[in-house]
Amino acid sequence: MLAAERRSRILGEVDDLGVVRITQLAEDLAVSDMTIRRDLTALAARGLVRKVHGGAVAPHLSAHERHAAHRDAVTAEREQGVAEAAAGLVAPGSSIAIGAGRTATLLAVHIAATPSLRPLTVTTNSLPIAEALHRSNDPRLTTIVTGGTRLGSGTLVGPLAASAFAHLPMSMAFIDVAGISTTHGLSARTADDAAASRSLVGSAARSVILAERSKWGANGSAWFATLAEVDAIVTDFVPPDQKRRLYDLSAQIVLA
């Protein structure tokens, strides 16, 4: 792909999303991070984008919008790190489940791009995750979609989704969360998400929580499990005052 075509694609992403990340662009365009950095520098010199940490934003954004875009870009970088660390727990030849969520979707993208993790069977209640896995076009990567009631996000919820998770064999389940509390446990964005996550925790041989640092101390709409009920947490940060509590619970901590 020529530089002009690549930069046109980057501008299209900025126009559509308002913010782009270097790592995601490099993966999507199959080039190095350094190449994307040069592209963004060239576009910024022409006033077409404004560079921020880890990516770029549309030049017309207000100071508040630029701050929000910068924050989102940093969060996305952390989520990418958590996803890549979680992929290190996946064993070729196993059958796993991946619940819905942004970090979970990044995990699926990483799995699809890593042939060494095949053969692998993945069950999910997320249509975006199923699509990300399908893009690998590898018959050794089997994707099972639970079924259920579709939400606007492409997440499948309801009794059918929960029942599918409960009845399919899974050596490991990866669960995105809205919040973590060492007192109350793990929360999901909605009651429907909580029901699906609860089914994953109860059915998988090992349940693994995906949580970048902003999830510590945050609360979702519904609780679905205590920390004592899960086997591992993949995160980029553990609050110092929580380390002893997690040690007492014997939870495995995987740092991204």
Side-chain angles (χ1 to χ4, degrees), residues 149-215:
T149 302
R150 178 178 178 172
L151 302 181
S153 63
T155 302
L156 302 174
V157 299
L160 187 57
S163 177
F165 281 143
H167 289 91
L168 290 170
M170 297 174 288
S171 60
M172 189 172 292
F174 293 92
I175 306 166
D176 214 330
V177 297
I180 303 179
S181 164
T182 53
T183 302
H184 301 291
L186 306 161
S187 60
R189 295 162 187 79
T190 68
D192 285 328
D193 285 331
S197 297
R198 175 72 247 175
S199 183
L200 284 171
V201 170
S203 305
R206 282 175 55 80
S207 51
V208 179
I209 300 303
L210 308 175
E212 57 84 29
R213 66 182 61 194
S214 70
K215 305 300 177 64

Side-chain angles (χ1 to χ4, degrees), residues 32-57:
S32 68
D33 287 8
M34 186 58 66
T35 296
I36 297 299
R37 291 181 191 279
R38 287 195 294 266
D39 288 339
L40 294 180
T41 297
L43 293 171
R46 296 164 56 192
L48 299 175
V49 302
R50 185 187 298 272
K51 294 175 68 178
V52 297
H53 175 78
V57 299

Side-chain angles (χ1 to χ4, degrees), residues 206-233:
R206 282 175 55 80
S207 51
V208 179
I209 300 303
L210 308 175
E212 57 84 29
R213 66 182 61 194
S214 70
K215 305 300 177 64
W216 292 96
N219 294 322
S221 298
W223 303 102
F224 66 86
T226 66
L227 288 174
E229 294 177 281
V230 300
D231 301 286
I233 300 172

Side-chain angles (χ1 to χ4, degrees), residues 75-86 103 106 234-236 255-256:
T75 297
E77 290 284 345
R78 293 169 179 162
E79 289 175 333
Q80 183 69 40
V82 169
E84 292 176 1
T103 309
L106 292 172
V234 185
T235 184
D236 65 311
L255 284 175

Side-chain angles (χ1 to χ4, degrees), residues 62-102:
S62 67
H64 174 74
E65 289 171 326
R66 288 197 301 272
H67 174 75
H70 171 75
R71 182 193 61 219
D72 290 345
V74 171
T75 297
E77 290 284 345
R78 293 169 179 162
E79 289 175 333
Q80 183 69 40
V82 169
E84 292 176 1
L89 300 176
V90 177
S94 62
S95 179
I96 67 172
I98 305 178
R102 291 198 314 181

